[in-house]
Amino acid sequence: MSTTKPLPSTDRAGAAQLRAALLAADFTADGLLELLGAPAYAALARSETVPAVRATRGDGALETLVRLFLLQDALPHDRVAKALPLEQAVAQGWLTDDGTQVRATVDVRPYGGPDGEDWFIVSDLGCAVGGAGGIGSKDEGVVLGVGGASTTLAGITVRRPVDSALDLGTGSGIQALHAAQHATRVTATDLNPRALRITALTLALSDAPEADLREGSLFAPVADGTYDLIVSNPPFVISPGARLTYRDGGMGGDDLCRTLVQEAGERLNEGGYAQFLANWQHVEGEDWTERLRSWVPRGCDAWIVQREVQDITQYAELWLRDAGDHRADPAAYAARYDAWLDEFEARKTKAVGFGWITLRKHGENAAAAEPSITVEEWPHPVEQPLGEVVAAHFARLDHLRAHDDAALLAGHFRLAEGVVQEQVGLPGAEDPEHVVLRQHRGMRRATKVDTIGAGFAGVCDGSMSAGRILDAIAQLVGEDPVLLRDRTPAQIRMLVEQGFLEPA
């Protein structure tokens, strides 16, 4: 059972008063970076507090707030009273005061919004410094703050004005906070009632609109409701039993993620997006890409990107450390480790993949079309935010689906911004062994092309049709233009699908 402490009041007037004091002290993402410096700021995100302690030896208001809310120090009553309205903050439950020392009741972390907004993410004490990477809490009801997974999902989410958005498994409310900027109505759900209370605090302290908060598992709290946007950073960890609410889904294997994806289709309005982070099993004798294809619901296109794969020992060790089990009794640690391996052996799991899943519900014009399902592995660095890249991916797929080869050759294309050409071969060789097109923006893909493909891409500026460009290339290289027109559309489609070329 949860032993977490009482939470502050969700009274918006009290939150507004505290927010004003935090902003007056420059307790913001930019203010922290300036005070701490980049190395200490980065160390804090790794759960290393010593550099931040050294940087906050002064007694100014900002140093006081960092010590109070981020480092969870007990501070003298008089010092805290100089930094914020102490009496009101205590009355609202943000702080405790025994008359001599003051402590924070929750972690309050400054967070910069996409358009420079000053937001604050509330979480349980000790659960924002380092996020899920090592809080070492055995408390099943604990609510985490911002971690790498949270910011990844926020970055890949398609941002456009919508009527309704659903944040499923809201946690500390970061996805609901982002959605509130472009959705008329935001619904946030969680199995943990404490998480819903903390989401309300996050929204209030960030001066964001209130959300419709509902308790329950998966889609149960929203009945038959449908949405233009669904986002979820679910408890996706594949573990032997549901030990920690914030990470363990309580279903066997990757069933929770599969269920979430499969049930999302009927909850989306036409043209709507559902975007998730997920883990999935690599099962002996099974193609992992086919496993994920089977998750995609009818009526939806999908883009699934595997970002990382861990063997079962790496995976078990990661999450045992997350719970702090490596610091416990060695025999107990070994027993838990053994239980994880038993679970994987029973399911014939040899590795676990992690990545992004995006569904897009077919619009009215595409409802009868064959769904487009792209499942790929891309473990390399990308340029966040990727929301516009995700939307553009599906727009290009719509274009390709609507154009046969003849229409494709009649169309006009542009080389995407940030694409460069690299030639690979032995030094001094007359011709390259192969040509690579590389993106310096977005997904930062690289793909091999032949000299025809490279020449075609280099000429694309939107002024000439694809067919006319190929005719000119055929004349230059002495090829039959009819044969070149026959064999090149497949390469053009690949370059469009992967974002090297854009329909003009």
Side-chain angles (χ1 to χ4, degrees), residues 430-482:
E430 186 173 340
D431 296 312
E433 292 179 16
H434 57 262
V435 178
V436 173
L437 297 183
R438 186 179 301 278
Q439 299 167 346
H440 281 248
R441 306 296 303 273
M443 289 294 288
R444 294 178 175 167
R445 297 183 187 277
T447 190
K448 289 183 183 179
V449 292
D450 59 22
T451 53
I452 301 297
F456 177 86
V459 175
C460 283
D461 61 3
S463 63
M464 294 174 60
S465 70
R468 286 188 60 195
I469 292 173
L470 289 180
D471 291 344
I473 292 175
Q475 187 173 3
L476 281 173
V477 300
E479 282 206 36
D480 184 333
V482 175

Side-chain angles (χ1 to χ4, degrees), residues 332-348:
Y333 173 80
R336 289 195 185 277
Y337 199 149
D338 210 34
W340 283 71
L341 297 185
D342 283 344
E343 175 81 3
F344 287 132
E345 183 178 333
R347 296 181 179 278
K348 298 183 178 180

Side-chain angles (χ1 to χ4, degrees), residues 144-223:
L144 297 190
V146 177
S150 304
T151 54
T152 293
L153 179 59
I156 67 172
T157 300
V158 175
R159 303 292 174 195
R160 61 179 186 181
V162 294
D163 178 58
S164 57
L166 170 64
D167 175 14
L168 195 151
T170 187
S172 59
I174 180 175
Q175 310 306 330
L177 180 57
H178 276 278
Q181 310 310 303
H182 61 100
T184 304
R185 296 179 291 109
V186 176
T187 302
T189 72
D190 207 288
L191 183 63
N192 182 1
R194 186 175 182 85
L196 297 176
R197 179 76 174 270
I198 284 183
T199 291
L201 294 172
T202 290
L203 295 174
L205 199 56
S206 299
D207 194 28
E210 296 184 49
D212 178 6
L213 304 176
R214 303 188 187 184
E215 181 182 344
S217 178
L218 297 177
F219 290 102
V222 298

Side-chain angles (χ1 to χ4, degrees), residues 113-132:
D115 296 317
E117 301 95 341
D118 289 316
W119 291 339
F120 299 96
I121 309 298
V122 180
S123 65
D124 276 314
L125 291 174
C127 297
V129 179

Side-chain angles (χ1 to χ4, degrees), residues 128-458:
V129 179
I135 61 164
S137 174
K138 301 295 194 300
D139 192 336
E140 67 177 35
V142 78
V143 178
L144 297 190
V146 177
S150 304
T151 54
T152 293
L153 179 59
I156 67 172
T157 300
V158 175
R159 303 292 174 195
R160 61 179 186 181
V162 294
D163 178 58
S164 57
L166 170 64
D167 175 14
L168 195 151
T170 187
S172 59
I174 180 175
Q175 310 306 330
L177 180 57
H178 276 278
Q181 310 310 303
H182 61 100
T184 304
R185 296 179 291 109
V186 176
T187 302
T189 72
D190 207 288
L191 183 63
N192 182 1
R194 186 175 182 85
L196 297 176
R197 179 76 174 270
I198 284 183
T199 291
L201 294 172
T202 290
L203 295 174
L205 199 56
S206 299
D207 194 28
E210 296 184 49
D212 178 6
L213 304 176
R214 303 188 187 184
E215 181 182 344
S217 178
L218 297 177
F219 290 102
V222 298
D224 297 325
T226 60
Y227 301 88
D228 303 310
L229 174 67
I230 299 172
V231 291
S232 182
N233 176 18
F236 53 67
V237 176
I238 300 171
S239 58
R243 185 171 158 222
L244 298 172
T245 302
Y246 71 84
R247 71 170 203 191
D248 301 324
M251 295 187 184
D254 53 16
D255 282 357
L256 181 134
C257 292
R258 175 184 57 78
T259 301
L260 183 61
V261 173
Q262 288 181 336
E263 293 184 357
E266 63 187 24
R267 309 289 180 170
L268 281 175
N269 295 326
E270 286 189 354
Y273 287 89
Q275 299 187 262
F276 315 101
L277 302 184
N279 271 164
W280 44 79
Q281 297 166 199
H282 286 233
V283 177
E284 188 176 338
E286 178 185 79
D287 184 335
W288 69 270
T289 65
E290 291 304 313
R291 182 182 191 86
L292 289 171
R293 285 177 178 274
S294 73
W295 291 9
V296 178
R298 292 184 62 184
C300 290
D301 296 323
W303 184 19
I304 302 173
V305 183
Q306 180 167 272
R307 295 287 290 157
E308 184 180 2
V309 181
Q310 291 183 311
D311 67 47
I312 55 175
T313 60
Q314 291 174 312
Y315 188 81
E317 290 162 14
L318 168 68
W319 294 108
L320 286 166
R321 286 189 173 88
D322 170 76
D325 291 317
H326 61 303
R327 295 191 292 268
D329 173 59
Y333 173 80
R336 289 195 185 277
Y337 199 149
D338 210 34
W340 283 71
L341 297 185
D342 283 344
E343 175 81 3
F344 287 132
E345 183 178 333
R347 296 181 179 278
K348 298 183 178 180
T349 301
K350 58 184 180 179
V352 177
F354 166 80
W356 318 326
I357 298 176
T358 299
L359 306 177
R360 197 269 309 260
K361 188 73 171 283
H362 283 162
E364 184 177 348
N365 295 332
E370 186 72 18
S372 170
I373 302 176
T374 302
V375 183
E376 61 178 319
E377 184 167 19
W378 188 252
H380 309 294
V382 298
E383 182 188 44
Q384 285 273 37
L386 282 169
E388 286 300 316
V389 174
V390 173
H393 168 87
F394 288 97
R396 293 194 305 272
L397 291 182
D398 287 344
H399 182 88
L400 292 175
R401 189 157 43 193
H403 290 74
D404 60 17
D405 286 355
L408 198 71
L409 292 176
H412 296 238
F413 299 91
R414 285 190 302 266
L415 187 67
E417 182 184 354
V419 175
V420 298
Q421 175 180 306
E422 300 173 358
Q423 296 187 171
V424 181
L426 293 173
E430 186 173 340
D431 296 312
E433 292 179 16
H434 57 262
V435 178
V436 173
L437 297 183
R438 186 179 301 278
Q439 299 167 346
H440 281 248
R441 306 296 303 273
M443 289 294 288
R444 294 178 175 167
R445 297 183 187 277
T447 190
K448 289 183 183 179
V449 292
D450 59 22
T451 53
I452 301 297
F456 177 86

